[in-house]
Amino acid sequence: MSLWGRLTGWIVLIFGLTYFALPLLGLTEFSLKARRGVYSLDAYAKVIADPEFQATFGYSVMMALVTIALGILIVVPTAFWVRLKMPWARPYVEFITLMPLVIPAIVIVFGYIRLYNTSSWLPLTGSIMGTNLLLAFGYTILALPYMYRAVDTGLRTIDVATLTEAAQSLGAGWVTILGRVILPNVIPAVLSGAFLTFAIVIGEFTLAALLDRPAFGPYLQRIGANKPYEPFALAVIAFGITWACMGLIQLVTRFSKHSKVAR
Amino acid sequence: MAFLELSHLEKSFGSNRVVKDFNLDVGQGEFISLLGPSGCGKTTVLRMVAGFETPSSGAIRIGGTDVVGKRPNQRNIGMVFQAYALFPNMTVAENVGFGLKIKGAGRDEISARVTEMLRLIGLPDLGARYPFQLSGGQQQRVALARALAPKPQVLLLDEPLSALDAKVRVSLRNEIREIQRELGITTIFVTHDQEEALSISDRIVVMNGGIADQVGPPFEIYNRPTTRFVANFVGQLNAFTATVEDGAAGRVRLGGVPVTLPAPVSGGSVDLAARPEALYLGRREGNDVILPATVRDVHFLGSVIRIGANVAGMPVALDTFNRADQPPPAPGAAVELSLSSRDLIVLGG
Ligand SMILES: Nc1ncnc2c1ncn2[C@@H]1O[C@H](COP(=O)(O)OP(=O)(O)OP(=O)(O)O)[C@@H](O)[C@H]1O
Ligand SMILES: [Mg+2]
């Protein structure tokens, strides 16, 4: 590599560091300064002790789990069927699953509110349960691109068609095939999709705020506007969760590699 | 009385007719091979029996009942694939027990049957392994055990040996045949390897372009091929063109030598064929046709010597057994070849 190339590399790296790592460092440092003069975890203690934190965080975790379950139920059979019976449809399905990346969440939620308001034929927003359901659907849509890609990649590592036929000739129906043959073989892929979904749902703001549900995202925003140190502690916690998810994806991928796919 | 009947089976993909008026009656416990070149429709026939493809027309009956309307998981048919297709997330024992579990068999029954099947395929100790911990040959044995465990009515094998190396291929094919005999299960075995088909089948169906060209036992297929395709596809063949002198009496002239065929022929010329082992170097009692020839090349193969020669400008190959006191002729030597006119195959179609 030339001197110029190396120099450019370093400049980009330094730029990236100042842009990304420095604010993070500053953030973390500041979150530790709640007590005058010394570093302490006071802000974290306060945040974690806050019942509203516990409530909203619990709510968001719940929502994330529901979203993951919905995502698996929708995506695994779809990706399986497309691979098995309609390979010609794959580009179209892929395009559709990418839509949520292009359409802003706010458009989706306005659409929801317009379609399912209290005077519509299906007044989902009229009840708390209905709104929760709507929010879970919205999250499922937001997570669709990641979930679909992950599962589709997982399906590529097995011979879907032959395994399906082998199971069929042994008497298995579709539910058995999906549940006992296909799903167990794409678990690592499903898990990495699930962790991504978790990371997205935990910090999501727009949908939760506009549907007025007590989720972690809006709470984060509210605290940020009103408290001095706690928002920074919260930001670090949220960031930590995201990173933990990424780490878990790495772990699952690596673990699965030498247990199953090897041959 | 046929156990598995395929009658007037047709399959088209779009405008492509892949299987044409295919008829076959398979007896209970019979081992049938479908033999033919790539793309002739062997797999398609098998997949129609298994239920993975729907025939465009025709009937498939197993034990007298038409199964065309039934889904693959209702047909009680065992299938072994070229790609093994073991479930990677299950152990060998779980793979073998899968079909019984689906049927709702009890745990003791499953484990007894799994043990029995693993013993049958000669892998009694590998139940706890995962497929990726097995060799190709072992995986295919497990696939066979998995297909047989639920006691299917019919066993279908689609080129099960193609992915294995030569030695394993031979030993496993004999093993498959032995197991098949032991269980008495009606079997269809797809292959494009003629030696495989000849060595293990009760009967062979030679397929060409979606049609069953000839159906018969290996001995008959090899020695009495009824079409030019079968004659060429199965085994090595020397083809001659002879001019007809008196068709009704079967008198023809082969490279200037008069030959009397056992059956009448028609037309101005006729295509004849002879297997390499039917030709004899020199004269011999009973060989009524003597052909002058020039030796082209000599391949010493050990117990067999294959000699290439020219007869009236036509290349022929002949096999003779090695004899320590009789060195083979040198290339360029003028020799006499003889054969019995009864060994000449008249090629039709
Ligand atoms: N699903 C399909 N759609 C369209 N054409 C098909 C399909 N399956 C098979 N064919 C065509 O049918 C013909 C016969 O295929 P088949 O797989 O039965 O051949 P085969 O005898 O098993 O060949 P091989 O020895 O290569 O396995 C081929 O020309 C193939 O292209
Ligand atoms: Mg085939």
Side-chain angles (χ1 to χ4, degrees):
Chain A
M1 208 193 281
S2 73
L3 181 67
W4 273 115
R6 221 173 305 172
L7 211 61
T8 322
W10 276 108
I11 290 170
V12 168
L13 185 67
I14 289 166
F15 182 75
L17 280 177
T18 50
Y19 207 82
F20 180 74
L22 216 56
L24 205 64
L25 268 175
L27 192 84
T28 315
E29 202 243 350
F30 190 74
S31 73
L32 295 170
K33 274 186 167 169
R35 197 176 299 173
R36 189 175 297 270
V38 286
Y39 287 135
S40 72
L41 292 173
D42 283 10
Y44 291 86
K46 237 192 225 162
V47 161
I48 291 170
D50 182 359
E52 218 192 329
F53 166 84
Q54 291 163 9
T56 55
F57 191 73
Y59 178 83
S60 283
V61 168
M62 225 16 242
M63 284 318 267
L65 294 181
V66 171
T67 305
I68 288 167
L70 269 177
I72 291 174
L73 275 176
I74 294 173
V75 168
V76 173
T78 308
F80 166 71
W81 200 253
V82 167
R83 267 199 175 265
L84 191 66
K85 299 276 177 175
M86 326 195 287
W88 51 268
R90 252 185 80 207
Y92 304 106
V93 175
E94 244 168 45
F95 180 76
I96 292 171
T97 60
L98 284 180
M99 294 303 278
L101 291 183
V102 187
I103 302 173
I106 194 145
V107 173
I108 296 175
V109 73
F110 275 143
Y112 279 179
I113 292 172
R114 175 118 191 73
L115 269 176
Y116 304 113
N117 63 36
T118 41
S119 54
S120 74
W121 60 277
L122 187 61
L124 279 176
T125 55
S127 68
I128 288 181
M129 218 37 229
T131 318
N132 283 343
L133 209 62
L134 209 53
L135 186 58
F137 288 153
Y139 284 159
T140 310
I141 299 288
L142 288 190
L144 201 58
Y146 308 100
M147 203 60 169
Y148 187 85
R149 241 128 244 278
V151 171
D152 197 49
T153 310
L155 287 176
R156 199 173 310 158
T157 61
I158 57 174
D159 186 349
V160 174
T162 319
L163 289 182
T164 302
E165 288 181 354
Q168 274 182 309
S169 71
L170 291 165
W174 292 115
V175 175
T176 313
I177 292 173
L178 271 170
R180 292 216 203 137
V181 176
I182 301 299
L183 191 59
N185 283 303
V186 293
I187 279 291
V190 168
L191 279 180
S192 65
F195 291 135
L196 274 172
T197 305
F198 192 85
I200 291 168
V201 171
I202 285 295
E204 206 282 335
F205 172 77
T206 317
L207 286 184
L210 285 170
L211 287 175
D212 196 24
R213 297 309 304 138
F216 190 56
Y219 169 74
L220 212 73
Q221 187 269 345
R222 213 156 349 103
I223 295 293
N226 301 325
K227 299 266 174 75
Y229 296 102
E230 286 87 337
F232 296 95
L234 271 176
V236 171
I237 291 174
F239 209 81
I241 292 169
T242 313
W243 275 35
C245 285
M246 299 302 149
L248 282 174
I249 293 175
Q250 287 296 316
L251 213 68
V252 165
T253 328
R254 201 163 309 164
F255 164 75
S256 64
K257 238 178 217 144
H258 61 93
S259 77
K260 298 275 163 61
V261 189
R263 188 170 71 86
Chain B
M1 175 56 198
F3 179 67
L4 169 64
E5 285 174 70
L6 313 182
S7 56
H8 306 291
L9 217 48
E10 293 261 350
K11 180 67 187 178
S12 305
F13 293 107
S15 61
N16 184 12
R17 273 179 84 201
V18 171
V19 174
K20 301 165 195 160
D21 195 27
F22 189 91
N23 293 288
L24 180 66
D25 283 356
V26 186
Q28 174 103 52
E30 201 177 6
F31 192 114
I32 296 273
S33 289
L34 300 186
L35 174 66
S38 187
C40 71
K42 308 180 292 289
T43 298
T44 307
V45 169
L46 209 67
R47 289 172 59 82
M48 285 193 281
V49 176
F52 300 132
E53 305 281 1
T54 312
S56 305
S57 66
I60 300 169
R61 278 181 289 273
I62 300 177
T65 26
D66 196 333
V67 296
V68 168
K70 286 194 184 175
R71 278 182 270 132
N73 57 348
Q74 305 169 321
R75 291 197 186 189
N76 195 18
I77 279 175
M79 180 115 185
V80 176
F81 302 84
Q82 180 178 343
Y84 319 138
L86 295 177
F87 306 127
N89 57 311
M90 298 180 202
T91 62
V92 166
E94 285 166 343
N95 264 285
V96 175
F98 186 83
L100 291 167
K101 203 164 164 186
I102 300 285
K103 279 188 171 173
R107 200 197 297 188
D108 295 340
E109 187 190 341
I110 296 179
S111 101
R113 181 78 176 149
V114 167
T115 310
E116 183 192 341
M117 294 317 293
L118 290 182
R119 189 158 335 116
L120 188 69
I121 58 166
L123 303 174
D125 305 322
L126 299 189
R129 293 235 190 130
Y130 280 92
F132 75 89
Q133 296 169 314
L134 302 180
S135 73
Q138 290 171 330
Q139 287 190 58
Q140 199 58 300
R141 270 168 232 245
V142 173
L144 180 67
R146 181 181 67 176
L148 291 171
K151 304 194 171 144
Q153 291 184 287
V154 176
L155 177 66
L156 306 175
L157 305 111
D158 191 356
E159 309 210 17
L161 306 172
S162 300
L164 303 171
D165 65 56
K167 235 185 190 141
V168 181
R169 208 147 59 204
V170 173
S171 64
L172 191 51
R173 84 179 180 213
N174 295 333
E175 227 170 293
I176 289 176
R177 176 59 159 156
E178 253 166 55
I179 291 172
Q180 184 269 341
R181 271 214 183 97
E182 196 174 325
L183 301 181
I185 185 166
T186 312
T187 301
I188 301 187
F189 180 96
V190 163
T191 179
H192 59 248
D193 182 333
Q194 40 145 325
E195 187 191 311
E196 223 163 82
L198 289 169
S199 69
I200 59 175
S201 317
D202 286 321
R203 282 191 299 154
I204 296 174
V205 179
V206 184
M207 287 186 69
N208 178 25
I211 294 172
D213 246 30
Q214 188 175 355
V215 183
F219 186 81
E220 194 181 306
I221 293 281
Y222 185 83
N223 290 305
R224 296 277 159 236
T226 51
T227 70
R228 175 186 297 273
F229 175 80
V230 175
N232 274 314
F233 190 74
V234 182
Q236 255 244 341
L237 202 74
N238 297 307
F240 311 97
T241 307
T243 45
V244 177
E245 300 208 310
D246 181 353
R251 282 222 308 276
V252 300
R253 202 165 264 277
L254 206 176
V257 180
V259 176
T260 307
L261 298 172
V265 290
S266 58
S269 73
V270 64
D271 288 325
L272 303 174
R275 297 286 180 202
E277 64 271 22
L279 290 171
Y280 188 78
L281 185 63
R283 296 183 185 218
R284 185 166 72 166
E285 177 85 38
N287 281 5
D288 50 340
V289 182
I290 315 290
L291 301 167
T294 319
V295 174
R296 205 173 57 241
D297 44 32
V298 176
H299 298 281
F300 189 76
L301 305 176
S303 67
V304 170
I305 302 169
R306 172 154 291 187
I307 296 172
N310 283 326
V311 173
M314 292 176 285
V316 300
L318 73 101
D319 288 345
T320 114
F321 283 113
N322 171 47
R323 297 247 300 274
D325 57 350
Q326 216 176 58
V335 293
E336 276 181 336
L337 308 181
S338 68
L339 80 159
S340 160
S341 55
R342 283 176 310 141
D343 287 339
L344 278 171
I345 303 163
V346 180
L347 297 176

